Amino acid sequence: MTQTAQIIDGKTVSARLLETIATQTAAMSTPPGLAVILVGDDPASHVYVANKIKACAKAGIRSIEHRLPTTATEGEIANMITTLNTDTSVDGILLQLPLPKGLDSDKLVQMIAPAKDVDGLTIPNIGKLVAGIDGLVPCTPQGSLILIKEVMPDLTGKHAVVIGRSLLFGKPMAQLLLAENATVTTAHSKTSDLAGLCKTADILVAAVGRPKMVKGDWIKKGAIVIDVGINRLEDGKLCGDVDFEEAKNIAGAITPVPGGVGPMTIACLMVNTLKANRSK
Ligand code: NAP
């Protein structure tokens, strides 16, 4: 079967977004500042932070990295957050997750001043999203929506199915789609006939963390498929939650893994940092 789906290239879209931000920050007398707190030595977290810092450089955002050892206590991290909350040169604070075992990441994330919460994970920002009030929106769903709108600018009346209901992704994604006038169904591990439900979706968003779970025959012909999952296979290669090889023959448009949603997450972190700077 020949490939029919348009590949939604997150690398190109995110590069464009970073360029737009760079143009705006270049015109500012003081660039926005992003403080990144990295605790411990999780290799994946180090890679993510390095990528975020690279993106800051491209976007004209000043990055300030704070590294703490694995032995750092909750109190030490809390003190650092409190200091950054009142530091006027810092517009955004990012606490890189996951934290080493034994640290209460939920409690620490909620200590971040909502105006500097560039991950959009504090309760006030989540509340604003649900209430339809402008605030800081979590980066991965924000980036996913941009990719959807690249290929379908008007989502009115479309049926969107989001697989996954995490606070980090599934719930905010559903809210963003709802705000775009889509009819939204959120699926999760207790959903019955998941395949049948997915088949009714004009927009299918998978954020589960199970390699290639969404099969080609779960997808409605011509649907937009957004694959949020990042899974590492035994051979070291990355793959998404969607079986790309099957899906590309049925979907109308699809994001690849890697190179789809991932780069958008980082670009939207820059969007949020600029927004936090402009809102103060
Ligand atoms: P999570 O907190 O583990 O949530 C996973 C969700 O999937 C849960 O709601 C769970 O349902 C649901 N689920 C699990 N098994 C299922 C099944 N068999 N059928 C249907 N639903 C099922 O994960 P997350 O933080 O949302 O992340 C999900 C994926 O996205 C991961 O692969 C993660 O690495 C990736 N991710 C990527 C980016 C990026 O920048 N590209 C950013 C964030 C996350 P229950 O609620 O019922 O348990």
Side-chain angles (χ1 to χ4, degrees):
M1 224 186 296
T2 52
Q3 176 178 324
T4 55
Q6 175 184 346
I7 305 300
I8 312 173
D9 181 357
K11 280 191 203 161
T12 305
V13 179
S14 64
R16 209 167 61 210
L17 200 51
L18 289 180
E19 268 171 38
T20 308
I21 298 167
T23 311
Q24 294 176 38
T25 55
M28 295 166 77
S29 53
T30 314
L34 173 67
V36 182
I37 307 173
L38 176 58
V39 187
D41 43 25
D42 175 52
S45 292
H46 278 256
V47 172
Y48 288 139
V49 166
N51 287 340
K52 286 170 186 176
I53 285 170
K54 260 190 231 159
C56 281
K58 282 187 193 157
I61 287 174
R62 195 169 52 89
S63 58
I64 316 119
E65 195 181 339
H66 296 275
R67 288 194 184 200
L68 289 170
T70 313
T71 51
T73 64
E74 220 164 271
E76 283 166 343
I77 303 167
N79 283 342
M80 182 168 279
I81 292 172
T82 308
T83 305
L84 294 170
N85 278 345
T86 53
D87 183 340
T88 51
S89 71
V90 171
D91 298 295
I93 303 170
L94 183 144
L95 179 61
Q96 183 64 42
L97 301 176
L99 292 177
K101 279 203 178 85
L103 296 170
D104 186 343
S105 50
D106 288 342
K107 184 175 139 195
L108 289 165
V109 164
Q110 296 307 324
M111 286 188 67
I112 297 172
K116 297 189 178 187
D117 164 32
V118 283
D119 263 339
L121 295 177
T122 58
I123 301 297
N125 278 320
I126 295 165
K128 281 183 177 175
L129 178 59
V130 176
I133 300 168
D134 191 37
L136 293 168
V137 174
C139 301
T140 309
Q142 188 184 153
S144 299
L145 182 67
I146 294 172
L147 292 182
I148 294 168
K149 294 188 78 171
E150 277 285 309
V151 287
M152 190 183 275
D154 183 6
L155 311 188
T156 305
K158 300 295 178 191
H159 183 208
V161 171
V162 179
I163 320 176
R165 56 175 163 178
S166 68
L167 203 54
L168 187 74
F169 185 81
K171 283 178 180 162
M173 185 75 246
Q175 289 299 325
L176 288 173
L177 290 162
L178 202 55
E180 292 289 333
N181 295 319
T183 303
V184 185
T185 307
T186 300
H188 46 78
S189 66
K190 308 290 185 289
T191 297
S192 52
D193 188 17
L194 182 61
L197 175 69
C198 290
K199 191 99 185 167
T200 66
D202 303 303
I203 302 157
L204 179 60
V205 184
V208 180
R210 287 178 170 243
K212 303 184 187 183
M213 185 186 85
V214 176
K215 300 295 173 199
D217 60 5
W218 293 26
I219 296 166
K220 180 174 168 177
K221 183 94 187 142
I224 297 173
V225 178
I226 304 293
D227 192 351
V228 183
I230 303 176
N231 309 290
R232 198 165 287 282
L233 298 172
E234 275 177 11
D235 62 6
K237 285 190 183 146
L238 289 181
C239 84
D241 291 342
V242 177
D243 189 324
F244 184 84
E245 287 308 310
E246 289 185 16
K248 71 181 186 190
N249 300 317
I250 297 148
I254 185 168
T255 59
V257 178
V261 172
M264 293 304 292
T265 298
I266 298 183
C268 288
L269 179 65
M270 305 301 123
V271 171
N272 280 355
T273 306
L274 179 60
K275 186 172 183 181
N277 173 281
R278 293 231 158 114
S279 312
K280 67 181 178 187

